[in-house]
Amino acid sequence: MSEINYNAPSEVKELNIINTIELEDMAGEIVPHGGFNYMAGGSGDEFTLRRNVECFNYKGILPRVAANVEFPDTHTRIFEHELKVPFIMAPIAAHGLAHESKEAGTAKGIAEFGGSLMSISAYSGASFEEIDAGLGDTPRWFQIYMSKDDELNKNILDEAKKDGASAIILTADATVSGNRDRDDKNQFVYPFGMPIVSRYLTGTGANMSLNNIYGQSKQKIDLDDIRFIKEYSGLPVFLKGVQTPEDAIAGIANGADGIWVSNHGGRQLDGAPGSFEVLEEIAEAVAGRVPIVFDSGVRRGEHIFKALASGADIIAIGRPVLFSLALGGWKGVKSVFEYFEKDLQRVMQLAGTQTIADVKNARLKDLK
Ligand code: PYR
């Protein structure tokens, strides 16, 4: 089925971001209704969607005074990558819902910011070549949604590797879609195809619902898939969607090189705790054996700080980037990365932390 009419925003401009929470309503005014609700929505009552942001309020950052801090340094490292900031782009499908430049726009914004990293979703609406045009030599990780056919999985991994992916993210929490009430009401279908996975879909992805696409992807994911991907690709593999210490331990025992703590932005199992609420116990179980990437609910520098202080090594940001893409194309994406960098520096200064290592050692206080 060919692409259906979808009038994505096209403006390219810098954004003056006061906070990222209000970007959502601003994007809602210009993004077509179905696409906006798909991006912004969660599952069920959207309890988990809300909780992801709210739960950061149950831990306090302790202000530190006379701490001899100036110009906090946000540099960090993961695997072979030296990053200017401890945050990266989370894997998200179909950026073309937000902006006509699709993933290439996001990629260019990240590249122009410099010193971060892009996660490319297998459900991208752009091809690797199109994304490369924006991304240049910026590092990238590839998020795989597996086919039921391992030969096709090998094919996809070959392509991702050829494209320069330096790690593979195995999303294991999305074998069926959460009950996305907003999408059901809107009878949401993707308006354009997904070139990377179209090789295993009955169509291109255009005019198909998420559940149709998930149903054609591999649903029976198990821990052996970590080894399969790792051995075939030779790349480090993240197990994404981890919300319990048990799954983190099992993932590492089966070869995971990184644990990705996420509840898919509150889009899968509603009624689950906020992702930040489970981070600390997972970090204790991981005990520094592999890096932890954290996502779901990050909207402010304080959230990045708290996640780092609770055991995350890298923070992945999703919706704020997508809404900024909608509002300002690649320049909007650059603006939101700059916003988070500045906001984190401000929090680090007030918390008396000069480096990311200091942030990771900072003590948070439980709040009621
Ligand atoms: C989502 O809609 O949440 C996907 O990951 C595709």
Side-chain angles (χ1 to χ4, degrees):
M1 173 77 67
S2 59
E3 307 212 348
I4 55 179
N5 193 28
Y6 183 87
N7 203 7
S10 57
E11 205 174 349
V12 177
K13 64 173 188 198
E14 282 172 19
L15 304 177
N16 176 23
I17 299 174
I18 307 297
N19 69 67
T20 72
I21 314 271
E22 63 190 26
L23 295 176
E24 179 168 333
D25 284 346
M26 290 158 73
E29 285 171 19
I30 58 167
V31 175
H33 183 77
F36 172 73
N37 280 288
Y38 168 78
M39 294 190 296
S43 50
D45 291 333
E46 301 189 337
F47 164 81
T48 302
L49 175 72
R50 287 188 300 278
R51 184 86 183 179
N52 276 342
V53 183
E54 285 166 12
C55 70
F56 282 105
N57 294 330
Y58 299 111
K59 287 272 184 192
I61 304 171
L62 295 166
R64 299 301 301 269
V65 299
N68 194 28
V69 169
E70 192 178 25
F71 308 122
D73 177 0
T74 58
H75 283 81
T76 193
R77 187 186 172 86
I78 181 149
F79 300 142
E80 72 270 38
H81 305 297
E82 296 283 350
L83 303 182
K84 181 170 88 179
V85 289
F87 54 86
I88 64 170
M89 178 66 199
I92 294 195
H95 296 202
L97 295 171
H99 196 267
E100 67 169 20
S101 60
K102 298 186 175 176
E103 284 75 2
T106 313
K108 185 167 164 64
I110 297 170
E112 294 285 334
F113 172 74
S116 185
L117 182 152
M118 175 149 177
S119 308
I120 297 176
S121 170
Y123 291 167
S124 168
S127 65
F128 283 119
E129 293 74 23
E130 286 166 329
I131 300 171
D132 281 351
L135 203 52
D137 57 9
T138 302
R140 80 278 326 252
W141 293 339
F142 176 67
Q143 177 220 27
I144 192 166
Y145 276 109
M146 295 180 81
S147 165
K148 297 180 201 295
D149 176 345
D150 272 343
E151 288 311 308
L152 292 180
N153 287 326
K154 288 181 183 172
N155 201 250
I156 292 172
L157 289 168
D158 286 343
E159 207 180 320
K161 212 173 153 178
K162 192 161 137 251
D163 184 62
S166 59
I168 305 295
I169 306 159
L170 172 59
T171 295
D173 63 356
T175 53
V176 293
S177 168
N179 50 333
R180 317 261 178 103
D181 290 4
R182 301 197 208 193
D183 295 348
D184 291 345
K185 272 190 204 133
N186 295 331
Q187 299 188 312
F188 176 77
V189 289
Y190 294 100
F192 44 75
M194 298 178 176
I196 299 171
V197 292
S198 59
R199 72 195 80 199
Y200 68 70
L201 300 176
T202 50
T204 62
N207 227 355
M208 292 168 69
S209 70
L210 178 60
N211 246 335
N212 184 357
I213 293 173
Y214 275 158
Q216 293 185 45
S217 307
K218 181 168 185 172
Q219 296 189 293
K220 227 165 171 287
I221 291 177
D222 69 22
L223 294 165
D224 286 340
D225 289 314
I226 301 172
R227 281 198 201 289
F228 167 79
I229 294 171
K230 185 172 160 133
E231 279 166 19
Y232 184 75
S233 70
L235 294 173
V237 177
F238 283 100
L239 181 63
K240 176 168 181 282
V242 173
Q243 291 283 282
T244 61
E246 297 89 308
D247 285 349
I249 290 166
I252 294 170
N254 285 275
D257 303 280
I259 294 297
W260 197 301
V261 175
S262 165
N263 60 27
H264 215 105
R267 296 162 74 78
Q268 289 299 103
L269 183 60
D270 193 38
S275 190
F276 176 65
E277 288 175 282
V278 298
L279 173 59
E280 196 175 350
E281 61 191 20
I282 294 171
E284 276 166 19
V286 170
R289 286 176 290 167
V290 297
I292 295 178
V293 177
F294 172 83
D295 78 36
S296 300
V298 174
R299 300 291 181 272
R300 290 189 181 275
E302 284 85 350
H303 300 166
I304 296 176
F305 187 104
K306 289 179 188 184
L308 292 168
S310 301
D313 296 291
I314 294 290
I315 314 304
I317 299 177
R319 287 187 184 88
V321 180
L322 221 53
F323 296 144
S324 300
L325 177 70
L327 292 162
W330 72 263
K331 288 190 178 174
V333 171
K334 181 165 180 264
S335 296
V336 81
F337 270 73
E338 286 167 353
Y339 163 85
F340 276 114
E341 181 184 29
K342 261 214 189 108
D343 208 39
L344 176 61
Q345 283 167 341
R346 175 185 57 78
V347 179
M348 287 173 70
Q349 177 76 37
L350 294 173
T353 48
Q354 183 68 49
T355 65
I356 296 301
D358 294 340
V359 177
K360 289 180 69 60
N361 284 327
R363 180 168 56 90
L364 301 179
K365 186 164 173 62
D366 287 330
L367 306 174
K368 294 231 163 55

